[in-house]
Amino acid sequence: MWWVVGVVTVVVLVSTYLTWTAARVDRLHARAAAAAKALDAHLLRRAAAAAVLAEERSAVELYAAARIALDSPPEEREAAENDLTRQLRTIPLDEDAEALVAASRRLAVARQVHTDLVRDALSLRRRRVVRLLRMTRRHPEPEYFDIDDPILAPAAVPTPLP
Amino acid sequence: MRVGIVCPYSFDVPGGVQNHVMDLAEALIALGHEVSVLAPADEDAPLPPYVVAAGRSVPFPYNGSVARISFGPVSTARVRRWLARGDFDVLHVHEPFSLSLSMLAVLSARGPVVATFHTAMTRSRAMAAAQGLLQLVLERITARIAVSALARKVQVEHVGGGAVEIPNGVAVAKFAGAAPLPGWPGEGGAVGFLGRFTEPRKGFGLLRTAYADLAATRPGLRLLVAGPGEREELLDGLPAELHGRVTYLGKVSEEDKARMLRSVDVYVAPNTGGESFGMILTEAMAAGTAIVASDLDAFRRVLDGGRAGVLFPVGDAAALGARVGELLDDPARRSALAAAAREVVTEFDWPVIAERVLEVYATAIEATDGRVIDQEVP
């Protein structure tokens, strides 16, 4: 009799743990996917703001970099975005660049959050129980988006003079 | 935006985190957002209208001082009720790794969660033992903010993952508008210091030595000190004839702090290390007081490489005395420094900082439901 109670308890505990873990897997993957979508939107916004500024200033190289970033296929996107960041670092940030500076700052936050959420999801994927029961089969593996810090004018931390 | 903020420590005792939470809440309200702050406090305690009391707190030794916190089933129920009633767009918790309302709120939250880390705590055995729990807390947090480079470094090294660095804000208007204490700074000049003068890293000993030298040749020069401690300890090592020229205010409130900073010609920050941000410097800058500070990384950054305040080599009392003496003799240079400081400190003004916090809120919401929020360029 007692072993029945014991087995039932164990089964209940194990299945609760597994359900809970499966829910965690779903939640973290949904979040990483949402963060990726948001990151994509902020990348597009920055490139668009850069293109607008390049047109206003007739800056050919900047315009080209912005276009390439907007049109790049996924596998070349990181390099294209880094090129755009490098271009932006060379231009003077006057009044007319305000929208661009704001877009870059939002992008920096979106990138940071995306990186953290991808890391959370990946570390859960590596768990043995998750791998063994293939809990991630419905979720593609989240990928890092590895670009340089896009921040243009570090608003709060002025760089020290040499 | 509807924002719920959780403060882990009681408002009954003053503290950095409590001030930060109150200033942030007020700045967000001024920008037109709906804010509710949950904090441990007795129901009958006098609180600002936006604060919800989460009940009695118990003393808990933490980080060298005693913090009053709430934790347990009753607190959990209150947190849940507050969350349900508030229906917040974003939940912003402070110090979520302390056993407190903040941790309870994170574990009960369903929507986007933003967490701010204040202390640069090092990894302890207790933290290692609770790794599983911390991981669960961490997983619930959507976006993290660190108030200093040091706090961020701890994040990266010990918890895994980064954080957006947003410094502490300063309520510039409050400091700029404060009235000096009656009779200060006076004809002979006045030098100020604020902080725990018994702690060697605060470097008060350097200022004491420098002041003794300066006062010997300047008969009217006075020293104004505020901070926790005993007057005897403060005067220890200072020639007896100078004791009458030192005014000690004890521990001061936020308002008196602003008045104290406005009461001196030169504010001195002689710290020898351990300072991660230099909050007091931004406050002195907001008050429009000329600053002489140690050449620490954090101080140099806040003072814009020396443009907004004079730097002296760390630990060099003679150099400190010389710099303070030069400034006391040169009112034009003092006002030039104050003008530069006022310009630099606008970057730390709460309305500016609150806008940056709002950007993190927006990002956290976006990372939860995938839609992108339009935010006007301020």
Side-chain angles (χ1 to χ4, degrees):
Chain A
M1 190 58 216
W2 283 112
W3 68 270
V4 177
V5 176
V7 166
V8 168
T9 314
V10 167
V11 167
V12 166
L13 284 179
V14 166
S15 57
T16 309
Y17 175 71
L18 292 181
T19 321
W20 177 70
T21 306
R24 253 173 92 195
V25 169
D26 287 345
R27 193 179 68 231
L28 294 194
H29 280 85
R31 218 169 57 167
K37 246 168 93 181
L39 177 63
D40 172 62
H42 285 292
L43 286 166
L44 294 177
R45 281 180 182 205
R46 175 180 76 150
V52 169
L53 186 74
E55 276 186 340
E56 281 170 6
R57 291 188 182 175
S58 321
V60 182
E61 281 185 32
L62 178 59
Y63 188 78
R67 283 282 5 147
I68 292 171
L70 282 170
D71 300 334
S72 63
E75 64 276 12
E76 286 162 26
R77 195 164 184 196
E78 289 172 354
E81 297 293 348
N82 278 338
D83 283 341
L84 178 57
T85 304
R86 268 193 295 279
Q87 280 290 331
L88 291 175
R89 292 247 158 92
T90 64
I91 63 164
L93 299 172
D94 302 327
E95 293 277 297
D96 58 346
E98 207 174 300
L100 178 69
V101 171
S104 301
R105 209 171 49 221
R106 287 298 306 275
L107 173 59
V109 180
R111 162 184 166 270
Q112 177 74 61
V113 168
H114 175 258
T115 305
D116 285 337
L117 298 186
V118 169
R119 185 185 299 109
D120 282 349
L122 290 180
S123 81
L124 190 57
R125 281 179 87 95
R126 277 196 296 273
R127 292 266 185 116
R128 193 173 302 159
V129 59
V130 174
R131 281 201 318 240
L132 220 58
L133 297 178
R134 298 183 51 228
M135 287 182 186
T136 57
R137 63 184 175 277
R138 282 185 292 121
H139 304 288
E141 184 163 338
E143 281 171 38
Y144 288 114
F145 191 74
D146 196 8
I147 51 166
D148 299 334
D149 190 0
I151 206 96
L152 288 181
V157 189
T159 40
L161 297 176
Chain B
M1 210 181 273
R2 292 173 63 81
V3 184
I5 302 180
V6 185
C7 178
Y9 311 128
S10 169
F11 282 127
D12 307 339
V13 271
V17 176
Q18 293 92 315
N19 288 334
H20 178 106
V21 167
M22 267 197 270
D23 285 338
L24 173 64
E26 281 164 26
L28 289 172
I29 290 168
L31 289 169
H33 297 279
E34 262 182 75
V35 180
S36 175
V37 175
L38 185 72
D42 284 323
E43 239 103 285
D44 49 358
L47 291 170
Y50 51 82
V51 177
V52 174
R56 210 166 50 86
S57 54
V58 288
F60 188 82
Y62 176 74
N63 211 2
S65 61
V66 176
R68 301 186 69 84
I69 59 156
S70 306
F71 200 80
V74 179
S75 300
T76 309
R78 283 176 197 256
V79 168
R80 293 236 164 107
R81 212 176 315 143
W82 174 75
L83 282 172
R85 218 175 275 165
D87 188 27
F88 303 115
D89 295 318
V90 64
L91 175 71
H92 185 179
V93 299
H94 292 259
E95 297 288 43
F97 285 172
S98 59
L99 276 182
S100 65
L101 290 176
S102 295
M103 188 183 274
L104 295 175
V106 172
L107 293 174
S108 311
R110 290 285 164 271
V113 180
V114 174
T116 295
F117 295 85
H118 294 261
T119 39
M121 53 179 176
T122 43
R123 193 190 188 84
S124 61
R125 213 174 287 165
M127 247 176 107
Q131 196 60 48
L133 178 62
L134 294 191
Q135 185 56 40
L136 285 184
V137 173
L138 206 59
E139 257 178 40
R140 295 269 180 182
I141 296 169
T142 331
R144 302 178 227 167
I145 298 173
V147 296
S148 66
L150 199 63
R152 183 173 193 279
K153 201 169 148 239
V154 170
Q155 280 290 303
V156 174
E157 285 174 4
H158 298 311
V159 198
V164 183
E165 193 184 321
I166 302 182
N168 256 310
V170 56
V172 172
K174 275 188 205 165
F175 284 90
L181 300 166
W184 287 84
E187 287 297 308
V191 177
F193 174 91
L194 193 145
R196 217 177 284 275
F197 46 78
T198 47
E199 199 185 309
R201 285 194 310 183
K202 300 282 181 190
F204 182 71
L206 295 169
L207 175 58
R208 192 155 40 200
T209 311
Y211 175 72
D213 288 346
L214 288 166
T217 54
R218 294 161 196 268
L221 184 65
R222 292 189 290 173
L223 179 62
L224 183 60
V225 180
E230 296 293 330
R231 194 179 157 84
E232 287 74 51
E233 284 175 279
L234 177 75
L235 298 173
D236 188 35
L238 205 64
E241 67 270 20
L242 294 178
H243 287 188
R245 284 154 67 182
V246 178
T247 303
Y248 175 50
L249 300 173
K251 226 177 149 191
V252 290
S253 65
E254 282 295 293
E255 288 101 275
D256 286 342
K257 178 158 79 172
R259 297 188 65 186
M260 181 258 163
L261 290 171
R262 299 267 300 156
S263 300
V264 294
D265 295 308
V266 178
Y267 181 80
V268 179
N271 304 40
T272 54
E275 205 63 22
S276 68
F277 172 60
M279 188 68 198
I280 186 66
L281 289 189
T282 57
E283 289 168 343
M285 284 156 87
T289 304
I291 296 168
V292 176
S294 309
D295 194 5
L296 298 170
D297 270 350
F299 287 0
R300 198 182 323 119
R301 281 209 269 175
V302 172
L303 294 173
D304 199 11
R307 194 168 69 84
V310 176
L311 298 164
F312 73 96
V314 180
D316 187 344
L320 167 62
R323 297 292 100 76
V324 173
E326 284 159 25
L327 277 188
L328 286 170
D329 293 336
D330 192 348
R333 172 122 177 79
R334 286 208 304 271
S335 35
L337 282 172
R342 255 192 287 271
E343 191 194 307
V344 171
V345 83
T346 51
E347 286 169 10
F348 300 98
D349 200 3
W350 264 116
V352 177
I353 298 292
E355 289 284 1
R356 299 192 54 205
V357 174
L358 280 167
E359 289 175 355
V360 178
Y361 291 171
T363 309
I365 296 171
E366 289 165 6
T368 305
D369 56 15
R371 85 197 143 93
V372 172
I373 297 165
D374 270 301
Q375 210 177 33
E376 285 157 53
V377 180

